[in-house]
C-alpha cells in the first residue's frame, strides 16, 4: 500500500487527442477532462465549489427566479459568425431575457461523441466561456457524458439559465392586445442562411454571418425607456423564424396580426440566397433578433431605444395586432396584395440551432 | 384569404407513429408534439404560461438558489426498476439535495433521434412526469430537438434543477474532517448491475432492480435529526460508484479514508453478479443511494434517522476519515488485510446514467 499515486499520468493532448468512453465514465479521466478543458475555461467561484451543483447568492430583493432551457444540436458545429458554444450561451440567455428577466447563471450539459477531437471541444468550450463572460452570465455547474461513435454527432449542448424577474413585471406570449405595434430588432434570416452556407451539400459564396448574440442588454435598454407594462411580449424568432413566432403569439393572445412586407428588414445577401434556394426568409431562424409587441403609445420610444443600441440599429416597425377570431397572421405584400403568413409546416432547415 | 385553418390535421399517432425531423423544426409539428406528449404529461401552471421560460415564485425568505445539472444517456432506455425518464428526474433532484437544498423545479432538454417510436417517447415522458410528481418537483420549462437517424440514440435527456438552500448551510465535498464518520444509505451496485443485466450481449438472470429514487426526503429527515453543521458532505455515488466518489471527497477535503469492507452493504445477487462478470461493486453506479460524511458525535442519530426512512433502511457506518497527505482511500478487507481503493480508471459500464 505504498504505490505512488499521481493525479494524472500526463496532461490531455489538446492538439491531437480525442474523446474516448473513459472521459464519460466518471472516474479519473472524466475529472481530468473537466479540470483541463471545462473548469479552466469557465473558471468562476461557483464551479470552484467542486460540488454536484452550485450554491448561488440570494436573488435581489423583490425579484422572482426565471428558468429557461435550450438544447443545441446545430450542424455544422462551426459556422460563420459563431459556433455551438457561443450559440448555447446566447440561446438560453435570450430565452431568459425574453421573459423580461435579467439572466444571471447558466448550467450546461455536454453530450459528446466518442472520437470527437479534443481540439474542437476546447475551441467550443473556450468560445462558450467567452460568450458567457461577455454576457456576464457565468456557467456555474455542468455535466459531461460520452456516447459511442455513431450514437451522437460531435457534441450536443443543453443549457439552462436562471434569471431574476422584478415582481409585477408581466411579459409573455399571451399579452398582445388589438392595436399593439409589432417591432423587430433588425434583419431576419441571417443565422439560418449563414449556417446553410456551410452545409456541405449546399455550400455557396456569401458574406452572411450568423447574428448570434445575447440580447439582454438590448432588452434592458428597451424596458428602461418606457413605463412598465408597455412591452407586452418579447420573443426571439429562432426555429421557424419570424412567421412561426408571430403565429405562436397570435394563437396565445387570441389575436390576429397584419404585417407590412416592405417594412420587414432583410439583408440583400439573405434575400438573394433565399431566392436562389427557394426559401422564405420569414421562416428562417435568427439567433440575435427579437420581436417586441408593444403598446402603440410606446412604440416610438421603444424603436428609438432599440436603434440606439448596437444590436437594434436596424430595428423596424413591421405591423400591428388586429382582431381576428382565426388568429391569422396576414401580410400586405410589397405589391399591395394580402396573404396569410402561415406557420412553418415543412422543414427547410433541420438542426439550425 | 379564407382558407379554413385547423390547428392540426389529426392527433399524433401515439401507438405507431415515429419522430420525424419536422418534430424538431419549431413549427406546427413541434407544437403538436409538445402539446400532445410533453405538456399533457407535465401539466402545471408554469408550463401553461407558454413562454420561452418559466416565471417562478420567489424563493422562501432566508434561502439562496442552488442549480444542478445532469445529462442522461443511459442505454438501454428501459431497465428493471426504471427508465431514462424517471432517472433524469431522480439524478438531478439528488444533485440538488446533496447540496443540502430543497429541490423545487426542473428544466428538461430532450434530444430525440429521428425514427424514435412515439409510444416509447410517451412512456418515457409519462414516467418522468410521474417521478416529478412523486418528488414534488415539477418540470417547469423544456426544449425538444430532433437529430437525424444515426446521429443520436433514441433519446437523451438533460435536466437542470433549482432548489432553495437555507442561508448558512454549508454541505460540500471539501468539508470532511479527520475523525468524521462515513455513512452509506444502503446497498451499493444495484443500479449498475440492473442496467447491465439488460444489455443485449450480457443478459443474465437476476432479480436485481435499479435503486433509482429521489433522495431529498431522506436528506430532509437526516438534516432534521442533527444540529446544523453535523453533516459535512453528502454525495450520491453514481458513475464511478462508491470508490470513486469517496476518492473525490478525499481529494477535495485533503484527507484520507479507512473503510471496513465487511460493513459495506451489498445485496447477495449483486455480489454474485459482480463475481460472475469480474466487476467490483465498489465501482458500480448507484442512483438511489447517498454517502454522508458526518461529525462523529452525530453519527448514531443520523444512522437512526436514515434507517427510519424507507430509502435508508439498510444504512450503514462504513468507515472513518483519516489524516493522509496522499488522500488515499483505504480499506480493511474482510480477511483483515489493507488495500488502497483507487479511483475508477477503466470503463466497466459505459452509459450507465
Amino acid at each position: 500500500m505504498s504505490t505512488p499515486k499521481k493525479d494524472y499520468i500526463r496532461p490531455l493532448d489538446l492538439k491531437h487527442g480525442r474523446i474516448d468512453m473513459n472521459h464519460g465514465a466518471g472516474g479519473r479521466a472524466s475529472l481530468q477532462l473537466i479540470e483541463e478543458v471545462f473548469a479552466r475555461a469557465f473558471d468562476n467561484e461557483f464551479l470552484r465549489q467542486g460540488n454536484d451543483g452550485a450554491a448561488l447568492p440570494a436573488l435581489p430583493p423583490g425579484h422572482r427566479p426565471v428558468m429557461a432551457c435550450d438544447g443545441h444540436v446545430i450542424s455544422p458545429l462551426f459556422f460563420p459568425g459563431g459556433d455551438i458554444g457561443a450559440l448555447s450561451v446566447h440561446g438560453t440567455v435570450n430565452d431568459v431575457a425574453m421573459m423580461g428577466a435579467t439572466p444571471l447563471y447558466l448550467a450546461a450539459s455536454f453530450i459528446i461523441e466518442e472520437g470527437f477531437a479534443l481540439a474542437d471541444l476546447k475551441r467550443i468550450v473556450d468560445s462558450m466561456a467567452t460568450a458567457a463572460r461577455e454576457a456576464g452570465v457565468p456557467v456555474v455547474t455542468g455535466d459531461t457524458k460520452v456516447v459511442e461513435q455513431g450514437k451522437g454527432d460531435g457534441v450536443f449542448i443543453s443549457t439552462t439559465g436562471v434569471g431574476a424577474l422584478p415582481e409585477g413585471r408581466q411579459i409573455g406570449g399571451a399579452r398582445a392586445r388589438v392595436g399593439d405595434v409589432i417591432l423587430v430588432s433588425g434583419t431576419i434570416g441571417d443565422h439560418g442562411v449563414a449556417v446553410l452556407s456551410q452545409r456541405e451539400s449546399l455550400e455557396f459564396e456569401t458574406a452572411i454571418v450568423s447574428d448570434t448574440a445575447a440580447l439582454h442588454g438590448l432588452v434592458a435598454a428597451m424596458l428602461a425607456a418606457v413605463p412598465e407594462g408597455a412591452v407586452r411580449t418579447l420573443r426571439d424568432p429562432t426555429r421557424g423564424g419570424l412567421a412561426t413566432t408571430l403565429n405562436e403569439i397570435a394563437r396565445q393572445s387570441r389575436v390576429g396580426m397584419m404585417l407590412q412586407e416592405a417594412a420587414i428588414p432583410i439583408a440583400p445577401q439573405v434575400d438573394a440566397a433565399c431566392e436562389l434556394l427557394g426559401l422564405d426568409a420569414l421562416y428562417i431562424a435568427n439567433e440575435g433578433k427579437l420581436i417586441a409587441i408593444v403598446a402603440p403609445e410606446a412604440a416610438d420610444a421603444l424603436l428609438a431605444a432599440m436603434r440606439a443600441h448596437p444590436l437594434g440599429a436596424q430595428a423596424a416597425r413591421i405591423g400591428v395586432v388586429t382582431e381576428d377570431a382565426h388568429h391569422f397572421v396576414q401580410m400586405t405584400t410589397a405589391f399591395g396584395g394580402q396573404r396569410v403568413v402561415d406557420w412553418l409546416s415543412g422543414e427547410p432547415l433541420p438542426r439550425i440551432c
Side-chain angles (χ1 to χ4, degrees), chain A residues 6 35 37 46 56 84 86 99 122 134 151 167 171 201 218 223-224 229-230 233 258 266 273 302-303 313 318 333 345:
Chain A
K6 284 208 202 126
E35 292 194 341
V37 176
F46 308 106
L56 305 166
I84 192 172
M99 310 282 296
K122 181 169 159 41
E134 286 175 356
K151 303 289 188 183
E167 286 290 355
I171 293 176
S201 49
L218 174 61
L223 294 174
T233 305
M258 178 57 74
I266 304 180
L302 281 163
L303 204 53
I318 61 167
T333 67
S345 53

Side-chain angles (χ1 to χ4, degrees), chain A residues 43-331:
Chain A
D43 184 52
N44 58 58
E45 58 178 309
F46 308 106
L47 281 176
R48 259 176 262 132
Q49 293 169 1
N51 290 316
D52 286 346
L56 305 166
L59 294 190
H63 286 71
R64 43 204 294 227
V66 156
M67 269 180 108
C69 157
D70 232 340
H72 298 88
V73 299
I74 192 165
S75 174
L77 298 169
F78 303 94
F79 50 83
D83 57 59
I84 192 172
L87 186 70
S88 71
V89 170
H90 297 153
T92 294
V93 162
N94 290 348
D95 281 350
V96 172
M98 296 307 129
M99 310 282 296
T102 304
L104 295 174
Y105 309 107
L106 288 172
S109 161
F110 294 81
I111 298 175
I112 313 174
E113 187 186 10
E114 177 188 19
F116 191 57
L118 283 173
D120 285 341
L121 181 64
K122 181 169 159 41
R123 192 175 150 202
I124 287 165
V125 170
D126 287 350
S127 161
M128 193 170 171
T130 300
R133 249 189 302 276
E134 286 175 356
V137 186
V139 177
V140 298
T141 190
D143 185 62
T144 303
K145 293 288 191 303
V146 177
V147 296
E148 301 86 346
Q149 204 142 27
K151 303 289 188 183
D153 194 16
V155 62
F156 302 140
I157 308 178
S158 293
T159 43
T160 300
V162 163
L165 181 69
E167 286 290 355
R169 177 167 296 164
Q170 295 199 301
I171 293 176
R175 305 187 74 80
R177 304 180 203 168
V178 175
D180 282 353
V181 171
I182 305 167
L183 308 176
V184 66
S185 65
T187 56
I188 62 165
D190 304 60
H191 173 74
V193 172
V195 173
L196 205 53
S197 75
Q198 293 303 295
R199 297 252 167 100
E200 276 171 275
S201 49
L202 285 162
E203 222 160 315
F204 53 81
E205 285 302 322
T206 166
I208 303 159
V209 298
S210 166
D211 58 352
T212 184
L215 294 168
H216 57 318
L218 174 61
V219 170
M222 292 170 65
L223 294 174
V226 293
E228 196 68 49
V231 175
R232 324 281 203 206
T233 305
L234 293 170
R235 279 281 165 88
D236 53 336
T238 56
R239 280 183 293 180
L242 182 73
T244 303
T245 304
L246 288 177
N247 270 284
E248 280 171 17
I249 298 167
R251 182 174 187 265
Q252 274 187 273
S253 293
R254 311 185 68 76
V255 295
M257 294 184 185
M258 178 57 74
L259 308 180
Q260 297 296 325
E261 184 171 28
I264 299 173
I266 304 180
Q269 315 95 299
V270 169
D271 212 21
C274 284
E275 193 146 327
L276 190 73
L277 296 165
L279 295 172
D280 185 340
L282 291 175
Y283 295 91
I284 308 262
N286 310 276
E287 291 291 346
K289 296 293 158 27
L290 63 81
I291 297 165
I293 317 268
V294 308
E297 66 276 12
D300 286 340
L302 281 163
L303 204 53
M306 290 164 86
R307 288 181 175 161
H309 190 280
L311 294 175
Q314 292 180 266
R317 174 195 302 245
I318 61 167
V320 292
V321 176
T322 59
E323 191 169 341
D324 184 340
H326 297 290
H327 316 143
F328 283 133
V329 175
Q330 298 185 61
M331 186 162 76

